[in-house]
Amino acid sequence: MIRLDKYLADMGIGTRQEVKKYIRQGRVLVNEEIAKKPELKIKEEKDQVSFDGANVVYATYEYYMMNKPQGVISATEDKRDQTVVDLIVDKKRGDLFPVGRLDKDTEGLLLITNDGALAHRLLSPKKHVDKCYYARIEGKVTVEDVRAFANGVNIGTVDEPERTMAARLEIVESDAISTIRLTIQEGKFHQVKRMFQAVDKKVIYLKRERMGSLVLDENLKPGEYRILTDEELKNL
Ligand code: URA
């Protein structure tokens, strides 16, 4: 059971204050009757709630897989830029957030949910969850780079070193512009870009393909998303 104002706010209808106003204005029906009290207790599975004539179905958790496009930021809200949460037009919950951050110019797999415990499990450095990236690099990527990344590189400064954990670098194509796959188990700020900087190379395109057991669905074009399957959720 949950209070009507919380039910509506959780589903993103408005803030607690706003939904109280909507209730006063008679815009909220519970089981086809105008609701008068914000503190009315609602049985999430049984009672039927509507706002301005549209059903509001309660969802405890939502899980979306997105292929994040470039130009959109990994945040819940932003004054200037569009965020990944803005892109989910049919969300029910008002408290969704991206699990980890991809840079504005990075594409690829992003999990968007309101399940804080799952996010913690996936992001905690202690859990060693793989994050696999595909990238194009300016410069010839070499076996020395593979070795350096396996041993860890300094992505900080001489005075304030910041060493990375062992990472797996796979060279797909080594040329003036190289193509690689890199698997890391941490998520330091701009980590992939700074790792290549540490070996004097520049990332010119970056896409995340996998996080733990979750693999980016190839059918999702940049900007598209879908609900996680039960199987994907179970395996996470
Ligand atoms: N590493 C980066 O440098 N950028 C990202 O967006 C993700 C990992």
Side-chain angles (χ1 to χ4, degrees), residues 68 74 101-107 131 133 182 184 186-195 203 206-208:
K68 178 195 168 296
S74 300
R101 281 166 187 265
L102 293 177
D103 298 336
K104 189 170 173 180
D105 61 356
T106 300
E107 283 183 8
K131 286 122 199 154
Y133 294 88
L182 177 63
I184 58 177
E186 351 164 57
K188 294 181 192 292
F189 186 61
H190 295 327
Q191 179 157 345
V192 176
K193 291 174 185 165
R194 287 161 70 207
M195 286 176 75
V203 173
L206 186 59
K207 177 182 182 178
R208 184 158 62 194

Side-chain angles (χ1 to χ4, degrees), residues 151-192:
N151 291 328
V153 287
N154 178 15
I155 59 170
T157 60
V158 178
D159 293 336
E160 276 186 64
E162 193 179 352
R163 282 203 82 77
T164 56
M165 286 165 43
R168 195 170 64 246
L169 173 61
E170 182 198 332
I171 302 173
V172 180
E173 200 184 340
S174 176
D175 214 323
I177 303 287
S178 302
T179 312
I180 61 98
R181 284 205 163 79
L182 177 63
T183 306
I184 58 177
Q185 295 186 329
E186 351 164 57
K188 294 181 192 292
F189 186 61
H190 295 327
Q191 179 157 345
V192 176

Side-chain angles (χ1 to χ4, degrees), residues 6-58:
K6 177 163 167 44
Y7 182 110
L8 292 165
D10 281 354
M11 292 305 97
I13 300 298
T15 62
R16 275 301 253 277
Q17 274 328 102
E18 283 165 349
V19 302
K20 279 181 183 157
K21 188 175 75 193
Y22 302 151
I23 295 167
R24 272 201 309 278
Q25 290 169 338
R27 295 164 68 181
V28 177
L29 305 190
V30 175
N31 302 327
E32 294 177 359
E33 281 184 25
I34 293 180
K36 301 217 171 57
K37 292 188 180 139
E39 63 272 21
L40 181 69
K41 284 283 196 296
I42 303 296
K43 290 195 186 80
E44 298 95 307
E45 279 89 45
K46 191 160 158 277
D47 291 324
Q48 199 191 42
V49 178
S50 69
F51 171 63
D52 281 351
N55 269 346
V56 182
V57 178
Y58 197 81

